[in-house]
Every structure is written in C-alpha cells, then in structure tokens.
Amino acid sequence: MAFTGTAHLAAPMPPSLRRLSPKLRRLPTTHTLKLRPVSASVDVRFPNWSPGSWKTKKAQQLPEYPDPVELESVLTTLESFPPLVFAGEARNLEERLADAAVGKAFLLQGGDCAESFKEFNGTNIRDTFRVLLQMGVVLTFGGQMPVVMVGRMAGQFAKPRSDPFEVKDGVKLPSYRGDNINSDAFDEKSRIPDPQRLIRAYLQSVGTLNLLRAFATGGYAAMQRVSQWNLDFVQHREQGDRYMELAQRVDDALGFMAAAGLTTDHPVMNTIEFWTSHECLHLPYEQALTRQDSTTGLFYDCSAHMLWVGERTRQLDGAHVEFLRGISNPLGIKVSDKMDPKELVKLCDILNPHNKPGRLAIITRMGADNMRVKLPLLIRAVRQAGLIVTWVSDPMHGNTIKAPCGLKTRSFDSIRSELRAFFDVHDQEGSHPGGVHLEMTGQNVTECIGGSKTVTFDDLNSRYHTHCDPRLNASQSLELAFAIAERLRRKRMRSASGFHKGQKDVSTIKEF
C-alpha cells in the first residue's frame, strides 16, 4: 500500500497528440511538480466543474431521505472528517494501471458484492485479503508481471437496484440499497433511509483500511510467508495442494536468492501495494469526502483510491458522470452488451479528455456469448479513436441466475467461459487483457455453484451469507486464478517464442 508523499503528476496529453499512435501517445508519466493550490470551488482543468456541480444533472439510484435537515447535518460532519485515502496513493495506482493498459501489469480487483455491518470483523477482512494475496502470487508467477491488487473493500456498501421496491408475500417495501442507506430486514422501519448509517459506513471503512494497511506493510504480506497464507478449509483440497506446490517453488526461489547474497529484507519482499475501490453511487457521501490536493490543486474523492460508474448510472448527461469527470482518481466504467461503441468513446472523452494512461478502466460484464460478439466492436471503436484504456473482465454480473430454491447464484463454468472469451477476443484483436474484477470472499460460503469442489444447487442453503449477489468462495477464487495465470503464461510464452497472429499454439498448458 502506497504512502508516498511526493507528488507524481502524470503529464497532461497535448490535444495534438491524442489521436496519434500509441507509441507517440505514451508520454513519460512521472514529473515531480508542486502546483499552486486553487479555489476549492473550481478545478483548473474543468472550469465548469465543482464537487457539487452534479446537482445540476439528473441523478439515478439516489435514496430519498425523509429528513433532509438530518442528512445535511451528517454530510457536514463527514466533510470535517479526515480523508480515508490520500491523493499520492491514487496517483501511484494510476501509474500501475497505465502499465496494465499496455500489457506490462495485470489488475486483480476483488472483494465483497456489498460490505455489511453485521459481518464486519478482523477475521473476515484478513481472510479476503489473504485470498487476494494467494491469487496475486499465482498470477505473478504465471504471468511473470506485476499484479496490481485492488480490493472491493473499505467502502463498497451502496448497491444499485433494478426496482425501487421489493414485494414479499404481498407486502411491498422499498428495496434494500446497502447497509450505508438502509437495512436488509424486511420491515417498514428498516427500509427507511437513515443518514446516520453514512457515519457508520465511514467509521467501518476507517477500521478496514487500518487493518489492510497493517497487513500490507507490517510483515503479514512478506513473500517469506507465502506458504502460510493458505486458508484452513482450502488445505488438502485440489486448489490448496496446487497453491502449496507453487508456494514451495517460491520458497525455493527465495532460498536461491539468499544463497546468492540477495537479501530478502528489502521492502519489496516484505510489503505490498494494496488499494481500495467501490462503485461511485451515493453522490452526497462522495462529495462530502472529496478534497482538494494541497500538492497539485487537483480534486480527489478520498473515499477510495479508485471508483467506477455502474451500468445504471453511466448516462452521458447524468449526475454520476458529471461528478466523476472532475475528480482525479483512476476510474472504471462498467460496460454490458448494451453499450454502443460510439457512446463508449464519448463517455471516455468526457471522463478522460486528456487521454491520460491509467485514468480509465473499461470493465466488461456481458456473458461469454455476448462477449465474443460485442467486445471486438468496443475494442475497435476505442482503438480507432486513439484512446488509452485498461480492459478488465467482470465475469460475475453477466452470469447471475436464479436457482430452483429461489436464491440468486452464478455458475463457475459460466464465469470461466466469460473469462476465456475475454482473453480470446483480446488475442484476436491484438489488444491487452488488463485485469479481472471479481465478487469473492475469503469465507467458506456456498453461493456460486460449480468449481473443482463442486457446489450444487442443493448446497446453496448451507452457507449462503451474501447480502446481495453471490460470491466466489476461496477455493473457487484460487481455481480461477490458476486458470487465468495459465492463460497469461501461455500469452507470455507465445510472445517470447515469436508466435504470430493465427499461428497455432500446441503447448500442453491447461487453461480455463
């Protein structure tokens, strides 16, 4: 996790170079600058933008609070609180994502569908962090490239809803929108939006970030501990055994380094960079945590290092896009098969007018069949416009189904098929698969069916704990990481061996 205090400001892209080839557009990304602070109401890059200018636009998915005065009081309190993250950390993440955009790194983004107040404890945070560490080792070993680790943690509370109301047994109540807004208990009082929940969400995010920072920099993430990260319930199962075999190879490599006189006490071997992210949904909360960086004069939403705009809130003239265009955090755009290629280019132009590498990640969520048809059109449109983006696969949201028992679930095979399609399309188009975005947990849940330790429809009720959408458990997450790593390894071997487009790869590496 980054704690750098120096301002690394990515060089703005001159408009005259925006449409040139990637080699010319790939400008040096770090210049140590100190800019004069500007007025808190205006950003020098966006003279018509302010942290509150989104209020002039139509906003989707915002709760209606019965007491606006109490809401304003809570927001005023949040504005006085310290930032959760720092601008320098967000800039460092942007640099890493710029590498992922050109195939020099790979983004691993994962965590809960929706964080909850009830399940907030150190064990759950540690176990999800630990699975992400394991997945990171697997991907680094297979891809032989840096893995950029970003958690859906410390702020992923609010959830968009397709219907503002929910009906059970003939009773109609407002939908559950996440623990920072209302409760999932199905009664009238619990479903009333409560501003005080925003304070609790902030405080829980503080606690989560504090623990994540301790894990990332306090020795827990040291490579020498790689064999100790295995979760108890994964041991002696196929994925646990595969991981321990890989961990032994890492230990052997560390032993070789030590024998050769290369110390393992270097910070790079004992700490990791870990960032946080969530969907930018509750705009009043996001505005309250927006700060102007004293080093650069730029605005950052200090609720997370990275934010994304969802499928339901990405309208070109909408409030969420208006807010996001003026903050300097790295941004994601969730994209389904409904996205028109021309609209995507317009959206990228709004959110990244200077075509800054690492600023935008396009997170596709389509289902395998749609991916093979729609993704090539999006890639070609973005390339033709000369835009620099990081392509990321979210294989979860396009594969949600209803089980016979009525619970929502996802098939592991469908998730894996969408990832296979994502990599196949990028191979076909000559573009870079830059990362994966997963809803997963370190808990031993039974929410997604399938995997090598098969979870069946009948198993769903045994440990179905999610407050919203089904998540991969630790074993399924590791299995997916091994499949992705083998695909990254195959890509690396093909490049090193001089394989050309259309040439058949006859290696025996197992993939997906």
Side-chain angles (χ1 to χ4, degrees):
M1 185 169 294
F3 291 96
T4 306
T6 305
H8 294 293
L9 178 64
M13 181 71 63
S16 60
L17 295 182
R18 282 198 59 201
R19 306 301 183 184
L20 298 183
S21 69
K23 289 184 179 179
L24 289 177
R25 284 187 274 107
R26 188 80 168 100
L27 298 181
T29 57
T30 57
H31 295 281
T32 303
L33 301 175
K34 192 162 185 176
L35 302 184
R36 181 184 303 171
V38 298
S39 165
S41 61
V42 176
D43 189 313
V44 291
R45 303 169 307 158
F46 303 106
N48 298 319
W49 182 90
S50 71
S53 60
W54 63 268
K55 296 176 183 177
T56 66
K57 307 287 185 177
K58 184 176 181 180
Q60 306 284 346
Q61 298 288 332
L62 293 186
E64 295 183 8
Y65 289 91
D67 188 347
V69 174
E70 183 184 12
L71 174 62
E72 285 303 315
S73 175
V74 165
L75 296 175
T76 300
T77 300
L78 287 169
E79 288 173 357
S80 70
F81 283 175
L84 290 170
V85 303
F86 305 104
E89 296 175 343
R91 283 192 289 273
N92 289 343
L93 174 57
E94 186 175 66
E95 292 177 8
R96 306 299 185 270
L97 292 175
D99 288 336
V102 294
K104 295 182 179 179
F106 192 81
L107 169 66
L108 171 60
Q109 189 173 13
D112 266 323
C113 167
E115 293 174 280
S116 75
F117 295 161
K118 295 175 186 175
E119 295 184 3
F120 174 53
N121 61 69
T123 299
N124 287 346
I125 297 168
R126 181 202 63 199
D127 287 351
T128 297
F129 180 75
R130 186 157 56 171
V131 174
L132 286 168
L133 285 178
Q134 290 182 286
M135 295 172 73
V137 168
V138 171
L139 293 174
T140 301
F141 204 87
Q144 297 290 292
M145 66 173 67
V147 172
V148 184
M149 296 180 60
V150 179
R152 286 176 56 114
M153 305 173 76
Q156 179 54 26
F157 291 99
K159 295 298 295 182
R161 312 310 310 186
S162 55
D163 192 322
F165 293 97
E166 182 181 356
V167 179
K168 284 185 180 180
D169 300 324
V171 179
K172 182 178 180 181
L173 292 176
S175 293
Y176 168 62
R177 291 183 174 272
D179 274 9
N180 64 336
I181 297 172
N182 58 8
S183 170
D184 62 346
F186 195 75
D187 61 75
E188 187 172 357
K189 182 179 180 180
S190 297
R191 293 301 174 91
I192 297 174
D194 179 3
Q196 296 300 325
R197 286 177 166 266
L198 296 174
I199 299 289
R200 185 171 177 183
Y202 170 90
L203 296 175
Q204 179 166 320
S205 298
V206 170
T208 301
L209 271 164
N210 184 54
L211 195 56
L212 289 173
R213 285 190 166 105
F215 285 145
T217 62
Y220 186 85
M223 288 302 296
Q224 296 93 314
R225 294 177 54 90
V226 65
S227 61
Q228 300 175 34
W229 295 338
N230 224 3
L231 290 158
D232 294 340
F233 64 84
V234 178
Q235 290 181 9
H236 310 303
R237 296 180 182 176
E238 180 180 350
Q239 304 314 317
D241 292 342
R242 291 179 72 188
Y243 176 78
M244 290 306 295
E245 180 182 349
L246 186 148
Q248 184 59 55
R249 295 171 70 182
V250 173
D251 284 339
D252 291 344
L254 292 175
F256 172 81
M257 291 170 58
L262 300 175
T263 177
T264 55
D265 294 331
H266 192 279
V268 75
M269 302 300 295
N270 289 286
T271 64
I272 64 160
E273 292 182 306
F274 192 86
W275 292 274
T276 62
S277 65
H278 62 254
E279 180 174 358
C280 176
L281 198 59
H282 196 294
L283 292 176
Y285 178 84
E286 304 298 344
Q287 179 187 342
L289 289 176
T290 297
R291 306 285 185 267
Q292 189 172 24
D293 179 31
S294 60
T295 309
T296 63
L298 303 177
F299 284 93
Y300 286 84
D301 182 345
C302 294
S303 68
H305 299 106
M306 177 182 181
L307 298 105
W308 69 85
V309 63
E311 174 77 8
R312 297 180 178 93
T313 53
R314 57 171 174 76
Q315 297 83 8
L316 297 179
D317 58 351
H320 290 81
V321 170
E322 169 63 21
F323 173 77
L324 288 171
R325 77 178 180 91
I327 62 170
S328 297
N329 307 60
L331 303 176
I333 305 171
K334 284 289 189 85
V335 171
S336 75
D337 58 301
K338 300 174 184 176
M339 172 62 87
D340 178 77
K342 293 181 181 178
E343 183 181 353
L344 178 59
V345 170
K346 290 179 182 178
L347 186 53
C348 290
D349 278 332
I350 293 171
L351 294 177
N352 191 19
H354 303 293
N355 204 22
K356 193 177 181 184
R359 161 74 168 172
L360 276 188
I362 298 179
I363 307 169
T364 57
R365 36 159 296 184
M366 300 182 179
D369 293 339
N370 287 327
M371 181 76 70
R372 295 184 185 278
V373 175
K374 299 290 186 178
L375 182 56
L377 303 178
L378 299 179
I379 292 173
R380 293 167 197 169
V382 167
R383 177 189 288 135
Q384 187 174 6
L387 302 176
I388 305 171
V389 303
T390 305
W391 292 100
V392 179
S393 172
D394 169 2
M396 309 295 293
H397 284 88
N399 294 297
T400 305
I401 59 175
K402 181 171 284 190
C405 63
L407 293 172
K408 286 193 294 185
T409 188
R410 289 159 173 159
S411 164
F412 184 84
D413 288 343
S414 297
I415 293 168
R416 188 168 52 187
S417 294
E418 180 161 348
L419 274 170
R420 183 190 299 120
F422 176 74
F423 277 90
D424 286 348
V425 168
H426 282 289
D427 281 350
Q428 166 195 315
E429 297 298 322
S431 46
H432 299 290
V436 63
H437 181 116
L438 302 172
E439 291 185 342
M440 39 80 65
T441 177
Q443 299 176 57
N444 187 18
V445 299
T446 54
E447 296 171 2
C448 292
I449 59 172
S452 59
K453 184 184 181 302
T454 306
V455 177
T456 67
F457 285 127
D458 292 336
D459 296 324
L460 291 178
N461 278 309
S462 62
R463 293 183 301 279
Y464 194 95
H465 301 317
T466 182
H467 287 257
C468 194
D469 291 333
R471 305 160 294 177
L472 297 170
N473 62 30
S475 178
Q476 292 166 330
S477 299
L478 262 183
E479 184 174 353
L480 207 60
F482 276 111
I484 297 169
E486 287 158 358
R487 188 65 184 250
L488 290 173
R489 181 183 174 194
R490 191 171 203 169
K491 181 180 177 66
R492 172 172 54 85
M493 291 176 65
R494 191 165 54 236
S495 298
S497 302
F499 276 83
H500 300 291
K501 188 175 179 180
Q503 188 172 351
K504 187 176 180 181
D505 183 353
V506 295
S507 70
T508 58
I509 300 171
K510 179 184 176 183
E511 59 164 292
F512 291 114

